[in-house]
Amino acid sequence: MSSPTHAWWRIIVTALALTTFPPLASPQASTSLRGTVSDAQGAVIPGAVISLQNLDNGASRQTVTNGTGEFAFPQLPPGNYQVRVEKPGFSTVTKTGVTLRVNTPATFDLTLEVGKSEEVVNVMSEVT
């Protein structure tokens, strides 16, 4: 049988351990970005390269649109981003001012214009 003093020591040691060593798998604040790339007539554009750069820390990621023109970036840290879309035969589009918020998945659809791939269009906008 344990003495009352022994029980108190176990409570104190447990409390200290919990406050000193936080859980190793604590959840990180994150969000996601997804969307569709299409042309001016609304036709989806598969195979477009989407580059995403976090303007707060410089980290970057890249993906390619699927057969239905869709792309997704899961588990992104919240922050300010630049999105760049490239596809041969279309003008490159770069959008800055894309702000992603904690636990608020964002949808960002992009429209490419037929043109030279060297042509770059810069747009400032917000995510909805």
Side-chain angles (χ1 to χ4, degrees):
M1 188 172 233
S2 298
S3 70
T5 306
H6 182 69
W8 277 108
W9 275 111
R10 290 173 73 190
I11 292 170
I12 291 170
V13 169
T14 302
L16 284 173
L18 291 174
T19 58
T20 306
F21 304 107
L24 296 176
S26 63
Q28 296 288 323
S30 69
T31 189
S32 63
L33 175 66
R34 67 178 183 83
T36 304
V37 177
S38 59
D39 65 15
Q41 287 73 40
V44 297
I45 301 175
V49 176
I50 315 294
S51 302
L52 185 67
Q53 182 178 15
N54 184 318
L55 299 176
D56 299 326
N57 65 19
S60 62
R61 290 171 68 177
Q62 198 172 65
T63 192
V64 177
T65 55
N66 64 16
T68 58
E70 297 173 336
F71 67 92
F73 290 100
Q75 297 182 337
L76 294 169
N80 298 303
Y81 287 84
Q82 174 179 292
V83 180
R84 182 178 177 97
V85 186
E86 300 174 275
K87 172 77 177 177
F90 294 89
S91 298
T92 298
V93 173
T94 301
K95 295 196 177 207
T96 54
V98 177
T99 302
L100 300 180
R101 302 193 193 307
V102 176
N103 297 327
T104 307
T107 300
F108 199 61
D109 296 328
L110 300 150
T111 303
L112 298 183
E113 298 288 333
V114 175
K116 298 178 184 174
S117 58
E118 298 85 33
E119 184 178 353
V120 176
V121 177
N122 291 311
V123 180
M124 298 289 291
S125 70
E126 285 191 30
V127 174
T128 57

